[in-house]
Amino acid sequence: YGLAALQQRYSLARGDSRMNFRFQMIITAIQLASCALALAVPPQWAIAAICLGQTVGNSVAALAFLWISQRQLGGLPLRHIGRLLLQLLLASVPAGLFAWFLVAWLAWLHDFSWSSSLLALGAGGAAFVAIFLVLAALLRIKELDALWARLPLFSRWARSEG
């Protein structure tokens, strides 16, 4: 998602709104396909199908953006970007798998209803955030430290540790 935001800024800074529109069309088409898939799968898999579409759509657009911008600019620091993406992958995949299993387990325990689904989704989201933040801290993702420093509650904590 960060590369999608960067892609928008890059396109608009170059005055190339058509490129931005094309990237958005890629993302939207893949997300709409995943929504159609969500209608075809059992209800407990619908959110996973939609999330898959968001992930795949943004990933395809991000890879296309990196390829195009590298050609236009004559090179990018892709080694650093690759390392960051690997760290984020190592932090998010275990967190996502745990959250998915938690939601599936909670859905198995309770009959399907909107309230039980909402609670399971909330529990899965909270578990994802907690596990991701712990793993990101263990992997020492510097970019997240910069984010914490900008948030008022955490900036005091970051200064006291530094």
Side-chain angles (χ1 to χ4, degrees):
Y1 296 107
L3 285 176
L6 179 62
Q7 170 270 313
Q8 289 175 348
R9 289 181 180 95
Y10 175 82
S11 298
L12 297 176
R14 289 180 53 91
D16 190 358
S17 58
R18 286 184 183 180
M19 181 168 58
N20 185 46
F21 180 73
R22 288 181 186 123
F23 284 118
Q24 292 308 308
M25 290 302 295
I26 292 170
I27 295 169
T28 302
I30 293 172
Q31 288 177 343
L32 286 173
S34 75
C35 289
L37 176 65
L39 295 172
V41 299
Q44 63 267 27
W45 293 99
I47 291 175
I50 292 170
C51 291
L52 178 67
Q54 289 180 320
T55 302
V56 171
N58 280 292
S59 297
V60 168
L63 290 174
F65 165 65
L66 287 174
W67 181 69
I68 289 169
S69 61
Q70 184 168 7
R71 273 193 358 207
Q72 290 176 341
L73 296 174
L76 291 171
L78 292 181
R79 187 172 306 248
H80 174 71
I81 294 170
R83 184 181 66 65
L84 174 61
L85 290 176
L86 179 63
Q87 287 178 308
L88 291 171
L89 187 71
L90 291 173
S92 62
V93 167
L97 288 174
F98 182 84
W100 182 31
F101 285 120
L102 177 63
V103 170
W105 178 69
L106 290 172
W108 178 76
L109 285 178
H110 302 286
D111 290 332
F112 177 76
S113 71
W114 287 106
S115 59
S116 66
S117 295
L118 185 60
L119 288 173
L121 188 60
F128 176 85
V129 169
I131 293 169
F132 175 82
L133 291 176
V134 167
L135 291 175
L138 291 173
L139 292 169
R140 301 177 197 270
I141 299 176
K142 297 181 299 193
E143 289 76 4
L144 285 178
D145 293 338
L147 172 68
W148 296 129
R150 291 183 176 267
L151 299 174
L153 176 66
F154 296 102
S155 64
R156 281 183 255 132
W157 175 63
R159 272 186 262 139
S160 66
E161 295 227 349

